[in-house]
Amino acid sequence: MRAASLRELRKSYGPVRALDGLELDVEEGEVLGLIGPSGSGKTSAAKALAGLLKPDRGEARVYGELMPAREALSRVGYMAQSDALFLDLDARANLAYFAALQGMGGRAASARIAELLALMELESDAWRPVRGFSGGMRKRLSLAIALVHAPSLLVLDEPTVGMDPRLRLRMWERFRSLAEGGAAVLVTTHVMDEAERCDRLALIFEGRAIASGRPAELRDSRGVASLEELFLEARP
Amino acid sequence: MRRTFAVALRVLDQLRRDPRTIVLVLAAPLLVVFLLHEVLESGSPVPRIAVVGSDRLAAALKDRADVLRPADAQAAAELLERGEVDATVELDEGSGLLGSSPAVSVDAADPSASAAAMRALREGLADFAQSSLPGFAKAANPRVSYLNGSTETTSFDFLAPVVLCFLVFFFTFILAGIAFLRERASGTLERAFASPLRRRELVAGYMLGFGAVAALQTAVIQLFVVLAYRAPNAAGFLPALAVNLSVAFAALAMGLFLSAFASTEFQLLQFIPLVVVPQVLFAGIFNLRSGPRWMLALSELFPLTYAGRALRDLMIRGRPLFTVLPDIAILCAFGAAFLALAIWGLARYWRG
């Protein structure tokens, strides 16, 4: 089933055209990677799926609902590039707050928070204010918040920046297992070995998806040996 | 409702773990009150007056000023020139009491010093005239009775109500405005927008959380002003608290609203000359009764005008609470209007 779709999406910020008729589908059970140069519109596409961008034209739908729909938002887990954490609060309080915004509370929320803290290897730091966290720890906490309400569509904007290779590997294992559980996972990335791990890639250039397919298909159809080359030669 | 409480509790949790802000919120207003009290109660300066001629005038002035006795008018003028006295007075008793009028010179550079000198001279001359011609100068010493206070009513007493509501307004405004702004800058607001949270739930949560802090702050400032400095509080503690809480409500809503139009803390501070300073000028520290019509009209636009008026009625004049209910209602209306504007202003960031 289709988790989300972007149709003919256009958005300008003043003279800057961020999205120029972007078309994109995200299917349940897949990890979809968005690749493309900086400023190509990956973040805007992610924001549109999280209900954070009001398009000038076109539409964004999540589970058939036109965004921003409150019902659909509770099925989306969004992680922005910036960490978006309350630095004065400890890790647990950060998680508890966003869980409450999703309508979770009581024992169910506590259990879920404990589970995620364990998953992100943050258990021993759960009571420390986030201000003292390293970049990688903040990233993990931020990801845990995106997962707290067990969303079925994950929209992750460069989720592994600043993580060490071992954690990065663990995160990708996690994305994979979420997708196998039926979730749709959309990840924007600049890291080509991460792109290789995606089920499907969409190459974004100047606000449009100029190519999409499995990593191997993309390489073959564009006649390049590596995704790196594909990225470097990106043009319509 | 759960989301509103979640926002309120989180706001309080953040404050609790930020000792510097707690100190700012509670201690800074008290420091301002303390300084203001010390400055206003330091008393008017004792004037220094050079008296030439009449010994009896010099005696009459003794209790009211530091009296210097230069040899002649020339020496007195030099003292005045050098700034060693605030005024000189010359009266020749020899030529008969009614024969010459006293010649007074005043250094007008410092209005408070020259006013004090003039007052001492007026009173001294009246005493002098009465002792010289009993009965003649009775008219110069009217019997005075006081309504709403007494001779003991000081500048601090008069200003205390206005200062009280100003401090409540200012610190609540800053606190809420900056917290909201910080939330936007950190990206946590955007993240909240990516959840099913409604705009009004968010604003309500902020009002609830900061409302609790503002209520505490208000009570502390008011207790301090009234207990530590024995400012008049004729109508009692609770009626004045009711006014101050409605001031805090309006300030909170204004802070939330204006923070939507600032992108940095510095920009929020730039609203202060626009929003806060005019209120101080117009809210009753200065008497605008004889000001031009536009000034009076303008003062009606500021919440502190109503707050200052209501608090003076309660604290100094001792009127009952119901007489200031219209003012409280206007303050709450300001609050409600800015609350609606704050929710509207958030649309700039809400799923935009």
Side-chain angles (χ1 to χ4, degrees):
Chain A
M1 200 191 138
R2 182 152 299 164
S5 60
L6 301 178
R7 289 281 167 270
E8 270 295 300
L9 211 59
R10 288 173 201 277
K11 175 74 178 180
S12 296
Y13 297 98
V16 182
R17 199 174 292 168
L19 295 175
D20 190 15
L22 179 70
E23 300 265 344
L24 192 71
D25 290 315
V26 194
E27 308 292 339
E28 285 189 335
E30 74 168 352
V31 179
L32 171 64
L34 291 192
I35 58 173
S38 295
S40 59
K42 300 186 298 293
T43 292
S44 293
K47 278 187 198 274
L49 290 172
L52 294 168
L53 178 138
K54 191 194 249 161
D56 299 332
R57 301 230 324 253
E59 57 179 45
R61 286 185 183 273
V62 171
Y63 296 102
E65 302 217 48
L66 193 61
M67 295 304 277
R70 286 185 65 240
E71 301 72 36
L73 279 174
S74 59
R75 301 184 66 179
V76 180
Y78 172 69
M79 176 179 168
Q81 273 178 35
S82 70
D83 295 326
L85 301 167
F86 297 102
L87 300 184
D88 296 328
L89 302 186
D90 60 43
R92 188 177 289 269
N94 269 281
L95 274 162
Y97 173 64
F98 286 105
L101 292 192
Q102 294 290 352
M104 302 167 70
R107 218 167 279 167
S110 309
R112 178 70 179 158
I113 288 168
E115 180 193 337
L116 284 168
L117 286 169
L119 183 75
M120 299 295 166
E121 298 178 9
L122 288 171
E123 283 161 307
S124 56
D125 301 297
W127 299 103
R128 280 178 52 204
V130 174
R131 194 174 294 284
F133 278 24
S134 70
M137 290 164 78
R138 292 181 187 196
K139 215 75 189 167
R140 278 180 277 158
L141 179 58
S142 188
L143 185 58
I145 290 171
L147 293 174
V148 75
H149 54 299
S152 45
L153 169 62
L154 268 170
V155 179
L156 310 173
D157 201 355
E158 300 192 2
T160 55
V161 172
M163 284 191 188
D164 68 43
R166 188 185 64 86
L167 263 168
R168 188 187 295 256
L169 204 65
R170 283 208 58 189
M171 287 307 120
W172 274 89
E173 283 165 6
R174 184 70 193 163
F175 300 158
R176 175 59 55 203
S177 77
L178 284 165
E180 277 164 8
V185 182
L186 180 138
V187 180
T188 75
T189 184
H190 278 303
V191 183
M192 289 307 134
D193 71 4
E194 289 189 357
E196 291 283 1
R197 294 171 176 275
C198 295
D199 296 312
R200 202 157 60 87
L201 287 174
L203 180 58
I204 312 287
F205 188 75
E206 292 186 347
R208 268 173 297 165
I210 56 171
S212 84
R214 290 137 61 87
E217 284 172 9
L218 266 186
R219 276 196 304 267
D220 295 347
S221 70
R222 310 287 284 192
V224 291
S226 70
L227 286 175
E228 203 105 56
E229 256 177 89
L230 179 73
F231 186 94
L232 290 171
E233 314 231 312
R235 63 179 53 87
Chain B
M1 224 30 194
R2 166 175 278 168
R3 281 188 279 265
T4 300
F5 281 125
V7 174
L9 288 177
R10 190 262 301 162
V11 165
L12 288 175
D13 202 10
Q14 272 182 295
L15 269 180
R16 191 170 61 82
R17 300 185 203 211
D18 182 6
R20 233 176 64 173
T21 302
I22 295 176
V23 170
L24 174 82
V25 165
L26 293 180
L30 301 191
L31 179 70
V32 174
V33 172
F34 166 74
L35 290 176
L36 184 80
H37 182 263
E38 294 310 303
V39 168
L40 289 178
E41 301 292 274
S42 63
S44 44
V46 177
R48 289 161 303 175
I49 298 175
V51 180
V52 182
S54 170
D55 289 332
R56 283 199 294 151
L57 178 58
L61 280 169
K62 268 256 152 44
D63 294 339
R64 299 183 170 87
D66 292 338
V67 174
L68 280 73
R69 300 304 310 268
D72 53 20
Q74 176 72 31
E78 275 168 20
L79 285 174
L80 189 66
E81 186 64 36
R82 288 202 301 271
E84 284 172 27
V85 294
D86 302 310
T88 65
V89 55
E90 186 183 0
L91 182 65
D92 187 5
E93 261 180 281
S95 65
L97 200 67
L98 300 173
S100 69
S101 61
V104 174
S105 303
V106 181
D107 177 3
D110 177 351
S112 68
S114 59
M118 281 309 288
R119 198 164 86 193
L121 278 169
R122 230 179 357 257
E123 290 171 3
L125 284 165
D127 271 7
F128 168 72
Q130 198 166 12
S131 66
S132 314
L133 279 178
F136 177 79
K138 269 216 169 114
N141 281 317
R143 276 174 295 137
V144 180
S145 70
Y146 292 89
L147 175 69
N148 300 323
S150 65
T151 44
E152 304 283 294
T153 304
T154 62
S155 317
F156 179 79
D157 294 342
F158 180 67
L159 289 180
V162 177
V163 170
L164 187 56
C165 64
F166 167 71
L167 290 176
V168 169
F169 182 91
F170 183 72
F171 283 98
T172 311
F173 174 83
I174 292 287
L175 187 66
I178 286 188
F180 211 48
L181 200 65
R182 208 183 279 173
E183 166 130 28
R184 235 176 53 222
S186 72
T188 49
L189 192 67
E190 187 188 64
R191 181 162 227 159
F193 289 173
S195 79
L197 179 69
R198 290 185 182 91
R199 265 188 286 169
R200 57 172 185 274
E201 289 171 332
L202 180 76
V203 172
Y206 259 81
M207 294 299 288
L208 212 60
F210 280 114
V213 177
L216 176 71
Q217 183 190 44
T218 305
V220 169
I221 302 176
Q222 196 181 317
L223 266 177
F224 186 67
V225 168
V226 172
L227 292 184
Y229 291 124
R230 300 178 193 285
N233 193 20
F237 192 78
L238 290 179
L241 191 63
V243 174
N244 278 327
L245 288 179
S246 50
V247 171
F249 173 58
L252 204 50
M254 273 176 97
L256 293 185
F257 168 63
L258 286 176
S259 72
F261 295 92
S263 42
T264 62
E265 288 164 13
F266 181 58
Q267 282 185 4
L268 187 74
L269 292 184
Q270 288 169 342
F271 280 119
I272 290 177
L274 215 61
V275 178
V276 180
V277 173
Q279 297 214 65
V280 183
L281 298 180
F282 287 86
I285 289 183
F286 305 106
N287 194 327
L288 302 179
R289 196 157 52 194
S290 48
R293 196 172 285 270
W294 66 263
M295 206 184 263
L296 290 173
L298 195 62
S299 74
E300 304 277 305
L301 293 177
F302 297 128
L304 281 189
T305 302
Y306 303 92
R309 189 163 70 198
L311 282 182
R312 268 196 190 139
D313 280 356
L314 291 173
M315 294 171 70
I316 298 178
R317 303 200 172 91
R319 298 206 176 129
L321 179 62
F322 72 84
T323 58
V324 301
L325 284 182
D327 290 318
I328 293 181
I330 290 172
L331 285 169
C332 291
F334 267 110
F338 277 106
L339 207 55
L341 283 172
I343 294 172
W344 168 79
L346 261 185
R348 294 172 43 142
Y349 307 99
W350 188 261
R351 290 162 200 161

